[in-house]
Amino acid sequence: MADTKVFAVANQKGGVGKSTSTYCIGAGLAAKGKRVLLIDADPQGDLSKMLGLRQPNQLNMTLSSVMDAVVSNRELTRHPEIRHHKEGFDFIPANRSLSAVEIGLVNVMSRETVLREYLNTVKSDYDYVLMDCRPSLGMLVINALSAADYVLVPVQADYLAAEDMTELVNTVQSIRRQINPGLQIGGVFLTMVSETTFRREVAESVRNQFGKRIPVLRTSIPATVRLAEISTADKSIFLHDPRGKAAQAYENLVKEVLNIGTKERVRPADLGR
Ligand SMILES: Nc1ncnc2c1ncn2[C@@H]1O[C@H](COP(=O)(O)OP(=O)(O)OP(=O)(O)O)[C@@H](O)[C@H]1O
Ligand SMILES: [Mg+2]
């Protein structure tokens, strides 16, 4: 059996770098020869736009089509929803029809595991699957968490809301208890770190407040216009500004992601010193 690792990139706070990080981590893993599938699980379709599909609402085959198929027990044989990106990974786009699917899930049996059921039909072709979540803790995010092995949590460096983190951790715990016992927090990492951010203090504060429950990754992502530019550049940071500090940071983050779930992994308490 393939040893696929499935990650949900989640934080219910908006604009913290989920989509940007999903793209850059995915491109980085692909550059290392991994077979990667990125899933846009946000009806805003931001990841799909970044990946070159500027008008996701005009697409027919998206994540909502396949979730719909699972809900109505239609068998999926070919997979036209999966597209190939020139940077060497596959992806599934999303658009606003995913909102309707999310609302419709209320009346569905096993409504928390529709995405997992779909993923089980395709994930053996991949080493890594990364799901870009919408900024909420609603049913789509619950579906992503139910399908995931690990959650990656980007946190905006200047804004650490303890309440948000507590809510996210509680959601992860209740999903672990009720639906997906294998789910773990792969790590929290800081994004949009400016010259003036006291990175160490924010990292320390995450660690103090959540203790051993949440590993804080060593890498933090700098705030730079070069990263803001990739949403329209049709390139990940590795092609857009390969020698810049953001490419270096995502390269380091990719190495940490590769370590998640391996025995060599440093214990959370030892990180970030
Ligand atoms: N490190 C960074 N430095 C500067 N700008 C960034 C950085 N990371 C992301 N951005 C920009 O910040 C905005 C929010 O980023 P992104 O869309 O990745 O966040 P998100 O968490 O996916 O947002 P949402 O919650 O709306 O889905 C985008 O305009 C993006 O280009
Ligand atoms: Mg996003």
Side-chain angles (χ1 to χ4, degrees):
M1 243 194 52
D3 184 19
T4 312
K5 293 198 169 87
V6 180
F7 286 82
V9 181
N11 185 335
Q12 72 272 36
K13 175 153 169 53
V16 297
K18 292 180 288 293
S19 303
T20 306
S21 297
T22 304
Y23 182 9
C24 292
I25 296 169
L29 289 168
K32 297 208 176 305
K34 301 296 180 190
R35 297 169 304 163
V36 176
L37 175 67
L38 303 185
I39 298 180
D40 189 348
D42 181 350
Q44 291 183 109
D46 288 343
L47 180 66
S48 308
K49 289 178 208 157
M50 282 183 198
L51 298 178
L53 302 173
R54 289 280 180 268
Q55 297 190 304
N57 288 333
Q58 293 180 359
L59 301 172
N60 280 327
M61 293 306 300
T62 63
L63 184 63
S64 47
S65 337
V66 291
M67 287 184 71
D68 246 347
V70 170
V71 167
S72 33
N73 267 323
R74 282 200 310 278
E75 201 178 332
L76 294 157
T77 43
R78 292 177 317 108
H79 287 285
E81 74 282 7
I82 300 181
R83 290 160 185 260
H84 192 66
H85 190 273
K86 57 182 188 288
E87 288 185 62
F89 55 84
D90 288 350
F91 71 103
I92 302 175
N95 60 24
R96 65 180 171 220
S97 59
L98 196 55
S99 275
V101 171
E102 181 171 42
I103 293 164
L105 285 175
V106 171
N107 301 315
V108 171
M109 247 208 296
S110 310
R111 60 191 175 183
E112 296 92 354
T113 53
V114 171
L115 183 49
R116 174 161 85 189
E117 216 177 301
Y118 165 70
L119 206 52
N120 283 341
T121 66
V122 294
K123 74 177 188 184
S124 62
D125 288 341
Y126 300 97
D127 301 310
Y128 285 89
V129 177
L130 271 71
M131 297 174 283
D132 179 27
C133 294
R134 73 183 304 179
S136 85
L137 289 174
M139 198 42 78
L140 277 172
V141 178
I142 289 174
N143 264 264
L145 295 175
S146 302
D149 302 308
Y150 303 98
V151 197
L152 278 179
V153 188
V155 170
Q156 199 179 331
D158 290 326
Y159 177 93
L160 172 69
E163 259 170 53
D164 288 355
M165 290 296 279
T166 306
E167 212 184 338
L168 182 62
V169 171
N170 288 346
T171 304
V172 168
Q173 280 175 340
S174 86
I175 287 178
R176 193 186 292 147
R177 242 188 345 264
Q178 295 171 37
I179 306 166
N180 181 8
L183 180 64
Q184 294 178 40
I185 296 188
V188 172
F189 62 96
L190 303 184
T191 60
M192 306 184 191
V193 176
S194 65
E195 303 291 332
T196 55
T197 308
F198 297 102
R199 190 197 93 80
R200 195 177 286 268
E201 280 168 28
V202 182
E204 211 48 57
S205 152
V206 173
R207 221 171 277 125
N208 289 342
Q209 291 181 60
F210 302 100
K212 295 198 175 92
R213 285 193 297 172
I214 306 184
V216 182
L217 302 181
R218 257 187 241 269
T219 307
S220 51
I221 307 299
T224 158
V225 67
R226 304 304 262 166
L227 275 170
E229 285 163 4
I230 70 162
S231 25
T232 48
D234 281 337
K235 288 177 195 156
S236 75
I237 195 67
F238 300 112
L239 296 183
H240 183 56
D241 184 25
R243 294 183 201 292
K245 56 185 181 178
Q248 185 59 56
Y250 272 113
E251 170 77 24
N252 293 341
L253 188 59
V254 165
K255 287 185 190 147
E256 287 198 82
V257 169
L258 285 166
N259 264 335
I260 293 176
T262 64
K263 291 202 179 66
E264 299 79 52
R265 188 168 188 200
V266 186
R267 284 183 307 116
D270 299 333
L271 284 170
R273 293 263 157 86

